[in-house]
Amino acid sequence: MRPVALGRKNALFAGADAGGRHWAIVATLIQSAKLNNVDPLAWLTDVLERIVAGHTKIHELATLLPWNWNAAKAVEVHSSA
């Protein structure tokens, strides 16, 4: 928890209110992935690629949350093996 608290304190000096809000969003996404035993870089890369490519419809966005994404990746690995 200490790194999160230090990161939050450092976000106070983001330069602008919008910068602080953006930092808070990114920190929340990264911590949510870590709490769900998901590699944050792999998760964010996959999620952003799916959204940009249009592979995920707006009503399917809940499937991209870390706890659902981890389960979906496990199913993909087992089905491809």
Side-chain angles (χ1 to χ4, degrees):
M1 290 302 250
R2 185 168 169 77
V4 175
L6 288 175
R8 200 176 327 124
K9 186 176 178 183
N10 291 339
L12 294 173
F13 303 100
D17 288 344
R21 282 190 295 275
H22 292 137
W23 172 253
I25 291 168
V26 170
T28 301
L29 290 172
I30 291 170
Q31 282 304 115
S32 294
K34 287 181 181 179
L35 288 172
N36 287 283
N37 297 319
V38 174
D39 175 31
L41 180 60
W43 173 66
L44 282 172
T45 302
D46 183 56
V47 166
L48 292 174
E49 285 175 355
R50 288 182 189 205
I51 291 172
V52 170
H55 293 266
T56 304
K57 306 294 183 226
I58 195 157
H59 67 278
E60 299 173 330
L61 289 178
T63 63
L64 300 178
L65 295 171
W67 47 92
N68 294 334
W69 183 84
N70 200 13
K73 282 296 183 188
V75 170
E76 284 180 18
V77 168
H78 290 300
S79 64
S80 65

Coordinates of all heavy atoms in Angstrom, one line a residue:
M1 N 0.8 -1.2 0.0 CA 0.0 0.0 0.0 C 0.9 1.3 0.0 O 0.4 2.3 -0.5 CB -0.9 0.0 1.2 CG -2.0 -1.0 1.1 SD -3.0 -0.8 -0.3 CE -4.5 -0.2 0.3
R2 N 2.0 1.2 0.5 CA 2.9 2.4 0.6 C 3.2 3.0 -0.8 O 3.1 4.2 -0.9 CB 4.2 2.0 1.4 CG 5.0 3.2 1.6 CD 6.2 2.9 2.6 NE 7.2 3.9 2.7 CZ 7.0 5.1 3.3 NH1 5.9 5.3 3.9 NH2 8.0 6.0 3.3
P3 N 3.5 2.2 -1.8 CA 3.8 2.8 -3.1 C 2.6 3.5 -3.7 O 2.7 4.5 -4.3 CB 4.2 1.6 -4.0 CG 4.6 0.5 -3.1 CD 3.9 0.7 -1.8
V4 N 1.4 3.0 -3.4 CA 0.2 3.7 -3.9 C 0.0 5.0 -3.2 O -0.3 6.0 -3.8 CB -1.1 2.8 -3.6 CG1 -2.3 3.5 -4.0 CG2 -1.0 1.5 -4.4
A5 N 0.2 5.0 -1.9 CA 0.1 6.3 -1.1 C 1.2 7.3 -1.6 O 0.8 8.5 -1.7 CB 0.2 6.0 0.4
L6 N 2.4 6.9 -1.8 CA 3.4 7.8 -2.3 C 3.1 8.3 -3.7 O 3.2 9.5 -4.0 CB 4.8 7.1 -2.3 CG 5.4 6.9 -0.9 CD1 6.7 6.1 -1.1 CD2 5.6 8.2 -0.2
G7 N 2.6 7.4 -4.5 CA 2.2 7.8 -5.9 C 1.1 8.8 -5.9 O 1.0 9.8 -6.6
R8 N 0.1 8.6 -5.0 CA -1.0 9.5 -4.8 C -0.5 10.9 -4.4 O -0.9 11.9 -4.8 CB -2.0 9.0 -3.8 CG -3.4 9.6 -4.0 CD -4.4 8.9 -3.0 NE -4.2 7.5 -2.8 CZ -4.1 7.0 -1.6 NH1 -4.2 7.8 -0.5 NH2 -4.0 5.7 -1.4
K9 N 0.4 10.9 -3.4 CA 1.0 12.2 -2.9 C 1.7 12.9 -4.1 O 1.6 14.1 -4.2 CB 1.9 11.9 -1.8 CG 2.4 13.2 -1.1 CD 3.2 12.9 0.1 CE 3.8 14.2 0.7 NZ 4.6 13.9 1.8
N10 N 2.5 12.1 -4.9 CA 3.2 12.7 -6.0 C 2.3 13.3 -7.0 O 2.6 14.2 -7.7 CB 4.2 11.7 -6.6 CG 5.3 11.4 -5.7 OD1 5.6 12.1 -4.8 ND2 5.9 10.2 -5.9
A11 N 1.1 12.7 -7.2 CA 0.1 13.2 -8.1 C -0.4 14.6 -7.8 O -0.9 15.3 -8.7 CB -1.0 12.2 -8.2
L12 N -0.2 15.0 -6.6 CA -0.6 16.3 -6.2 C 0.2 17.4 -7.0 O -0.2 18.5 -7.1 CB -0.5 16.6 -4.7 CG -1.4 15.7 -3.8 CD1 -1.0 15.9 -2.3 CD2 -2.8 16.1 -4.0
F13 N 1.4 17.0 -7.4 CA 2.2 17.9 -8.1 C 2.2 17.6 -9.6 O 3.3 17.8 -10.3 CB 3.6 17.8 -7.5 CG 3.7 18.1 -6.1 CD1 3.7 17.1 -5.2 CD2 3.6 19.4 -5.6 CE1 3.7 17.3 -3.8 CE2 3.5 19.6 -4.2 CZ 3.6 18.6 -3.3
A14 N 1.1 17.2 -10.2 CA 1.0 16.8 -11.6 C 1.0 18.0 -12.5 O 1.1 17.9 -13.7 CB -0.3 16.0 -11.8
G15 N 0.9 19.2 -12.0 CA 1.0 20.4 -12.8 C -0.4 21.1 -13.0 O -0.4 22.3 -13.3
A16 N -1.4 20.3 -13.0 CA -2.8 20.8 -13.2 C -3.8 19.9 -12.6 O -3.5 18.7 -12.4 CB -3.0 21.0 -14.7
D17 N -5.0 20.3 -12.4 CA -6.0 19.5 -11.8 C -6.3 18.3 -12.8 O -6.5 17.2 -12.3 CB -7.3 20.3 -11.6 CG -7.2 21.2 -10.4 OD1 -6.3 21.0 -9.6 OD2 -8.0 22.1 -10.3
A18 N -6.3 18.6 -14.0 CA -6.6 17.5 -15.0 C -5.5 16.5 -15.0 O -5.8 15.3 -15.1 CB -6.8 18.1 -16.4
G19 N -4.3 16.9 -14.9 CA -3.2 15.9 -14.8 C -3.3 15.0 -13.6 O -3.0 13.8 -13.6
G20 N -3.7 15.6 -12.4 CA -3.9 14.8 -11.2 C -5.0 13.8 -11.4 O -4.9 12.7 -10.9
R21 N -6.1 14.2 -12.0 CA -7.2 13.3 -12.3 C -6.8 12.2 -13.2 O -7.1 11.0 -13.0 CB -8.4 14.0 -12.8 CG -9.2 14.8 -11.8 CD -10.5 15.3 -12.3 NE -10.3 16.3 -13.4 CZ -10.1 17.6 -13.2 NH1 -10.1 18.1 -11.9 NH2 -10.0 18.4 -14.2
H22 N -6.1 12.5 -14.2 CA -5.6 11.4 -15.2 C -4.7 10.5 -14.5 O -4.7 9.3 -14.7 CB -4.9 12.1 -16.4 CG -5.9 12.8 -17.3 ND1 -5.6 14.0 -17.8 CD2 -7.1 12.5 -17.7 CE1 -6.6 14.4 -18.5 NE2 -7.6 13.5 -18.4
W23 N -3.8 11.0 -13.6 CA -2.9 10.1 -12.9 C -3.7 9.2 -11.9 O -3.4 8.0 -11.8 CB -1.9 11.0 -12.1 CG -1.1 10.1 -11.1 CD1 -1.2 10.0 -9.8 CD2 -0.1 9.2 -11.5 NE1 -0.3 9.1 -9.3 CE2 0.4 8.6 -10.3 CE3 0.5 8.8 -12.7 CZ2 1.4 7.6 -10.4 CZ3 1.5 7.8 -12.7 CH2 1.9 7.2 -11.6
A24 N -4.7 9.7 -11.3 CA -5.5 8.9 -10.4 C -6.2 7.8 -11.2 O -6.3 6.7 -10.7 CB -6.6 9.8 -9.7
I25 N -6.7 8.1 -12.4 CA -7.3 7.0 -13.2 C -6.3 6.0 -13.6 O -6.6 4.8 -13.4 CB -8.0 7.7 -14.5 CG1 -9.1 8.5 -14.1 CG2 -8.4 6.6 -15.5 CD1 -9.7 9.4 -15.2
V26 N -5.2 6.3 -14.0 CA -4.1 5.4 -14.4 C -3.7 4.5 -13.2 O -3.6 3.3 -13.3 CB -2.9 6.1 -15.1 CG1 -1.8 5.1 -15.3 CG2 -3.3 6.7 -16.4
A27 N -3.5 5.2 -12.1 CA -3.1 4.5 -10.9 C -4.1 3.5 -10.4 O -3.8 2.3 -10.0 CB -2.7 5.4 -9.8
T28 N -5.4 3.9 -10.5 CA -6.5 3.0 -10.2 C -6.5 1.8 -11.1 O -6.7 0.6 -10.7 CB -7.8 3.7 -10.2 OG1 -7.8 4.8 -9.3 CG2 -9.0 2.8 -9.9
L29 N -6.4 2.0 -12.4 CA -6.4 0.9 -13.4 C -5.2 -0.1 -13.1 O -5.4 -1.3 -13.1 CB -6.3 1.4 -14.8 CG -7.5 2.1 -15.3 CD1 -7.2 2.7 -16.7 CD2 -8.7 1.2 -15.4
I30 N -4.0 0.4 -12.8 CA -2.9 -0.4 -12.6 C -3.1 -1.2 -11.3 O -2.8 -2.4 -11.2 CB -1.6 0.4 -12.6 CG1 -1.3 0.9 -14.0 CG2 -0.4 -0.4 -12.0 CD1 -0.2 1.9 -14.0
Q31 N -3.5 -0.6 -10.2 CA -3.7 -1.3 -9.0 C -4.8 -2.3 -9.1 O -4.7 -3.4 -8.5 CB -4.0 -0.3 -7.8 CG -2.8 0.5 -7.3 CD -1.7 -0.5 -6.9 OE1 -0.6 -0.5 -7.5 NE2 -1.9 -1.2 -5.8
S32 N -5.9 -2.0 -9.8 CA -7.0 -3.0 -10.0 C -6.4 -4.2 -10.7 O -6.8 -5.4 -10.3 CB -8.1 -2.4 -10.8 OG -8.7 -1.4 -10.1
A33 N -5.6 -4.1 -11.7 CA -5.0 -5.2 -12.3 C -4.1 -6.0 -11.4 O -4.2 -7.2 -11.3 CB -4.2 -4.7 -13.6
K34 N -3.3 -5.3 -10.6 CA -2.4 -6.0 -9.7 C -3.2 -6.8 -8.6 O -2.9 -7.9 -8.3 CB -1.5 -5.0 -9.0 CG -0.4 -4.5 -9.9 CD 0.5 -3.5 -9.1 CE 1.6 -2.9 -9.9 NZ 2.4 -2.0 -9.2
L35 N -4.3 -6.2 -8.1 CA -5.1 -6.9 -7.1 C -5.8 -8.1 -7.6 O -6.1 -9.0 -6.9 CB -6.2 -5.9 -6.5 CG -5.6 -4.8 -5.6 CD1 -6.7 -3.8 -5.3 CD2 -5.1 -5.4 -4.4
N36 N -6.0 -8.2 -9.0 CA -6.6 -9.3 -9.6 C -5.6 -10.3 -10.2 O -5.9 -11.1 -11.1 CB -7.6 -8.9 -10.6 CG -8.8 -8.3 -9.9 OD1 -9.7 -9.1 -9.5 ND2 -8.9 -7.0 -9.9
N37 N -4.3 -10.2 -9.8 CA -3.2 -11.0 -10.3 C -3.1 -11.0 -11.8 O -2.9 -12.0 -12.5 CB -3.4 -12.4 -9.8 CG -3.3 -12.5 -8.3 OD1 -2.5 -11.8 -7.7 ND2 -4.1 -13.3 -7.7
V38 N -3.2 -9.8 -12.4 CA -3.1 -9.6 -13.8 C -1.9 -8.7 -14.1 O -1.7 -7.7 -13.4 CB -4.4 -8.9 -14.4 CG1 -4.3 -8.6 -15.8 CG2 -5.6 -9.9 -14.2
D39 N -1.1 -9.0 -15.1 CA 0.0 -8.2 -15.4 C -0.6 -6.9 -16.0 O -1.2 -6.9 -17.1 CB 0.9 -8.9 -16.5 CG 2.0 -8.0 -17.0 OD1 2.5 -7.1 -16.2 OD2 2.4 -8.2 -18.2
P40 N -0.3 -5.7 -15.4 CA -1.0 -4.5 -15.8 C -0.6 -4.1 -17.3 O -1.5 -3.6 -18.0 CB -0.4 -3.4 -14.9 CG 0.0 -4.2 -13.7 CD 0.4 -5.5 -14.2
L41 N 0.7 -4.3 -17.7 CA 1.1 -3.9 -19.0 C 0.4 -4.8 -20.1 O -0.2 -4.3 -21.1 CB 2.6 -4.0 -19.2 CG 3.1 -3.7 -20.6 CD1 2.7 -2.2 -20.9 CD2 4.6 -3.8 -20.6
A42 N 0.3 -6.1 -19.8 CA -0.3 -7.0 -20.8 C -1.8 -6.7 -20.8 O -2.4 -6.7 -21.9 CB -0.1 -8.5 -20.3
W43 N -2.4 -6.5 -19.7 CA -3.9 -6.2 -19.7 C -4.2 -4.9 -20.4 O -5.1 -4.9 -21.2 CB -4.4 -6.1 -18.2 CG -5.8 -5.7 -18.1 CD1 -6.9 -6.3 -18.5 CD2 -6.2 -4.4 -17.5 NE1 -8.0 -5.6 -18.2 CE2 -7.6 -4.4 -17.6 CE3 -5.5 -3.4 -16.9 CZ2 -8.4 -3.4 -17.1 CZ3 -6.3 -2.3 -16.4 CH2 -7.7 -2.3 -16.5
L44 N -3.5 -3.8 -20.1 CA -3.8 -2.5 -20.7 C -3.5 -2.6 -22.2 O -4.3 -2.0 -23.0 CB -2.9 -1.4 -20.1 CG -3.5 -0.9 -18.7 CD1 -2.5 0.1 -18.1 CD2 -4.8 -0.2 -18.9
T45 N -2.4 -3.3 -22.6 CA -2.1 -3.4 -24.0 C -3.3 -4.1 -24.8 O -3.7 -3.6 -25.8 CB -0.8 -4.1 -24.2 OG1 0.2 -3.4 -23.5 CG2 -0.5 -4.3 -25.7
D46 N -3.7 -5.2 -24.2 CA -4.8 -6.0 -24.8 C -6.1 -5.2 -24.9 O -6.7 -5.2 -25.9 CB -4.9 -7.3 -24.1 CG -6.0 -8.2 -24.8 OD1 -5.8 -8.5 -26.0 OD2 -6.9 -8.6 -24.1
V47 N -6.4 -4.6 -23.8 CA -7.7 -3.9 -23.7 C -7.7 -2.7 -24.7 O -8.7 -2.5 -25.4 CB -7.9 -3.4 -22.3 CG1 -9.0 -2.4 -22.2 CG2 -8.3 -4.6 -21.4
L48 N -6.6 -1.9 -24.7 CA -6.6 -0.8 -25.6 C -6.6 -1.3 -27.1 O -7.2 -0.6 -27.9 CB -5.4 0.1 -25.4 CG -5.4 0.8 -24.0 CD1 -4.1 1.5 -23.8 CD2 -6.6 1.8 -24.0
E49 N -5.9 -2.4 -27.4 CA -5.9 -2.9 -28.8 C -7.3 -3.3 -29.2 O -7.8 -3.1 -30.3 CB -4.9 -4.1 -28.9 CG -3.5 -3.6 -29.0 CD -2.5 -4.8 -29.0 OE1 -3.0 -6.0 -28.9 OE2 -1.3 -4.6 -29.1
R50 N -8.0 -4.0 -28.3 CA -9.4 -4.4 -28.6 C -10.3 -3.3 -28.8 O -11.2 -3.3 -29.7 CB -9.9 -5.3 -27.4 CG -9.3 -6.7 -27.4 CD -9.9 -7.5 -26.3 NE -9.2 -8.7 -26.0 CZ -9.7 -9.8 -25.5 NH1 -11.0 -9.8 -25.1 NH2 -9.0 -10.8 -25.3
I51 N -10.2 -2.2 -28.0 CA -11.1 -1.1 -28.1 C -10.8 -0.3 -29.4 O -11.7 0.0 -30.1 CB -11.0 -0.2 -26.9 CG1 -11.5 -0.9 -25.6 CG2 -11.7 1.2 -27.1 CD1 -11.3 -0.1 -24.3
V52 N -9.5 -0.1 -29.7 CA -9.2 0.7 -30.9 C -9.5 0.0 -32.1 O -10.0 0.5 -33.1 CB -7.7 1.1 -30.8 CG1 -7.2 1.6 -32.1 CG2 -7.4 2.0 -29.7
A53 N -9.3 -1.4 -32.1 CA -9.6 -2.2 -33.3 C -11.1 -2.4 -33.5 O -11.5 -2.8 -34.6 CB -8.9 -3.5 -33.2
G54 N -11.9 -2.1 -32.5 CA -13.3 -2.3 -32.6 C -13.8 -3.7 -32.4 O -14.9 -4.1 -32.8
H55 N -12.9 -4.5 -31.8 CA -13.3 -5.9 -31.5 C -14.3 -6.1 -30.3 O -14.9 -7.1 -30.2 CB -12.0 -6.7 -31.2 CG -11.1 -6.9 -32.4 ND1 -11.2 -7.9 -33.2 CD2 -10.2 -6.1 -32.9 CE1 -10.2 -7.8 -34.2 NE2 -9.6 -6.6 -34.0
T56 N -14.4 -5.0 -29.5 CA -15.2 -5.1 -28.4 C -16.3 -4.0 -28.5 O -16.0 -2.8 -28.7 CB -14.5 -4.8 -27.1 OG1 -13.4 -5.8 -27.0 CG2 -15.3 -5.0 -25.9
K57 N -17.6 -4.4 -28.5 CA -18.7 -3.5 -28.6 C -18.9 -2.8 -27.2 O -18.4 -3.3 -26.2 CB -20.0 -4.3 -29.0 CG -19.8 -5.1 -30.2 CD -19.6 -4.2 -31.4 CE -19.5 -5.0 -32.7 NZ -18.4 -4.7 -33.5
I58 N -19.6 -1.7 -27.2 CA -19.8 -0.9 -26.0 C -20.5 -1.7 -24.9 O -20.2 -1.6 -23.7 CB -20.5 0.4 -26.3 CG1 -20.3 1.3 -25.1 CG2 -22.0 0.2 -26.6 CD1 -20.5 2.8 -25.5
H59 N -21.4 -2.6 -25.3 CA -22.1 -3.4 -24.3 C -21.3 -4.5 -23.7 O -21.7 -5.2 -22.8 CB -23.5 -3.9 -24.8 CG -23.3 -4.9 -25.9 ND1 -23.1 -4.5 -27.2 CD2 -23.4 -6.2 -25.9 CE1 -23.0 -5.6 -27.9 NE2 -23.2 -6.7 -27.2
E60 N -20.1 -4.8 -24.3 CA -19.2 -5.8 -23.8 C -18.0 -5.3 -23.0 O -17.1 -6.0 -22.7 CB -18.6 -6.6 -25.1 CG -19.7 -7.3 -25.9 CD -19.1 -7.8 -27.2 OE1 -18.1 -7.3 -27.7 OE2 -19.6 -8.9 -27.6
L61 N -18.0 -4.0 -22.7 CA -16.9 -3.4 -22.0 C -16.6 -4.1 -20.7 O -15.5 -4.1 -20.2 CB -17.1 -1.9 -21.9 CG -16.9 -1.1 -23.1 CD1 -17.2 0.4 -22.9 CD2 -15.6 -1.3 -23.8
A62 N -17.6 -4.6 -20.0 CA -17.4 -5.2 -18.7 C -16.5 -6.5 -18.8 O -15.9 -6.8 -17.9 CB -18.8 -5.6 -18.1
T63 N -16.4 -7.1 -20.0 CA -15.6 -8.2 -20.2 C -14.1 -7.8 -20.1 O -13.2 -8.7 -20.0 CB -15.9 -9.0 -21.5 OG1 -15.6 -8.1 -22.6 CG2 -17.3 -9.4 -21.6
L64 N -13.8 -6.6 -20.3 CA -12.4 -6.1 -20.3 C -11.9 -5.7 -18.9 O -10.7 -5.4 -18.8 CB -12.3 -4.9 -21.3 CG -12.6 -5.2 -22.7 CD1 -12.5 -3.9 -23.5 CD2 -11.8 -6.3 -23.3
L65 N -12.7 -5.8 -17.9 CA -12.3 -5.5 -16.5 C -11.3 -6.5 -16.1 O -11.4 -7.7 -16.6 CB -13.5 -5.4 -15.6 CG -14.5 -4.3 -15.9 CD1 -15.7 -4.5 -15.1 CD2 -13.8 -2.9 -15.6
P66 N -10.3 -6.2 -15.3 CA -9.3 -7.1 -14.9 C -9.8 -8.5 -14.4 O -9.2 -9.5 -14.8 CB -8.5 -6.4 -13.8 CG -8.8 -5.0 -13.9 CD -10.2 -4.9 -14.5
W67 N -10.8 -8.5 -13.6 CA -11.3 -9.8 -13.0 C -11.9 -10.6 -14.1 O -11.9 -11.8 -14.1 CB -12.2 -9.6 -11.8 CG -13.2 -8.6 -12.0 CD1 -14.5 -8.7 -12.4 CD2 -13.1 -7.2 -11.7 NE1 -15.2 -7.6 -12.5 CE2 -14.3 -6.6 -12.1 CE3 -12.1 -6.4 -11.3 CZ2 -14.6 -5.2 -11.9 CZ3 -12.3 -5.0 -11.1 CH2 -13.5 -4.4 -11.4
N68 N -12.6 -10.0 -15.1 CA -13.2 -10.8 -16.2 C -12.2 -11.1 -17.3 O -12.3 -12.2 -17.9 CB -14.4 -10.0 -16.8 CG -15.5 -9.8 -15.8 OD1 -15.7 -10.6 -14.9 ND2 -16.3 -8.7 -16.0
W69 N -11.2 -10.2 -17.5 CA -10.2 -10.4 -18.5 C -9.3 -11.6 -18.1 O -9.0 -12.4 -19.0 CB -9.4 -9.2 -18.6 CG -8.3 -9.2 -19.7 CD1 -8.5 -9.0 -21.0 CD2 -6.9 -9.6 -19.5 NE1 -7.3 -9.1 -21.7 CE2 -6.3 -9.5 -20.8 CE3 -6.2 -9.9 -18.4 CZ2 -5.0 -9.7 -21.0 CZ3 -4.8 -10.2 -18.6 CH2 -4.2 -10.1 -19.9
N70 N -9.0 -11.7 -16.9 CA -8.2 -12.8 -16.4 C -8.9 -14.2 -16.6 O -8.3 -15.1 -17.1 CB -7.9 -12.6 -14.9 CG -6.7 -13.4 -14.5 OD1 -5.9 -13.9 -15.3 ND2 -6.5 -13.5 -13.2
A71 N -10.1 -14.2 -16.4 CA -10.9 -15.5 -16.6 C -11.0 -15.8 -18.1 O -10.9 -16.9 -18.5 CB -12.3 -15.3 -16.0
A72 N -11.2 -14.7 -18.9 CA -11.4 -14.9 -20.3 C -10.0 -15.4 -20.9 O -10.0 -16.3 -21.8 CB -11.8 -13.6 -21.0
K73 N -8.9 -14.9 -20.4 CA -7.6 -15.3 -20.9 C -7.3 -16.8 -20.6 O -6.8 -17.6 -21.3 CB -6.5 -14.5 -20.4 CG -6.3 -13.2 -21.1 CD -5.9 -13.4 -22.5 CE -5.7 -12.1 -23.2 NZ -5.5 -12.3 -24.6
A74 N -7.8 -17.2 -19.4 CA -7.6 -18.6 -18.9 C -8.4 -19.5 -19.9 O -7.9 -20.6 -20.2 CB -8.0 -18.8 -17.5
V75 N -9.6 -19.1 -20.2 CA -10.4 -19.9 -21.1 C -9.8 -20.0 -22.5 O -9.7 -21.1 -23.1 CB -11.9 -19.3 -21.2 CG1 -12.6 -20.0 -22.3 CG2 -12.6 -19.5 -19.9
E76 N -9.2 -18.9 -23.0 CA -8.6 -18.9 -24.3 C -7.4 -19.8 -24.3 O -7.1 -20.5 -25.3 CB -8.1 -17.5 -24.7 CG -9.2 -16.6 -25.1 CD -8.7 -15.2 -25.4 OE1 -7.5 -15.0 -25.7 OE2 -9.5 -14.2 -25.4
V77 N -6.6 -19.8 -23.2 CA -5.4 -20.7 -23.2 C -5.8 -22.1 -23.2 O -5.2 -23.0 -23.8 CB -4.6 -20.3 -21.9 CG1 -3.5 -21.4 -21.6 CG2 -3.9 -18.9 -22.0
H78 N -6.8 -22.5 -22.4 CA -7.3 -23.9 -22.3 C -7.9 -24.4 -23.6 O -7.7 -25.5 -24.0 CB -8.2 -24.1 -21.2 CG -7.6 -24.0 -19.8 ND1 -6.6 -24.8 -19.4 CD2 -7.8 -23.1 -18.8 CE1 -6.2 -24.5 -18.2 NE2 -6.9 -23.5 -17.8
S79 N -8.6 -23.5 -24.3 CA -9.2 -23.9 -25.5 C -8.3 -24.0 -26.7 O -8.5 -24.8 -27.6 CB -10.4 -22.9 -25.9 OG -9.8 -21.6 -26.2
S80 N -7.2 -23.3 -26.7 CA -6.2 -23.3 -27.7 C -5.2 -24.5 -27.5 O -4.5 -24.8 -28.4 CB -5.4 -22.0 -27.9 OG -4.7 -21.8 -26.7
A81 N -5.1 -25.0 -26.3 CA -4.2 -26.1 -26.0 C -4.6 -27.4 -26.5 O -5.6 -27.7 -26.9 CB -3.9 -26.2 -24.5

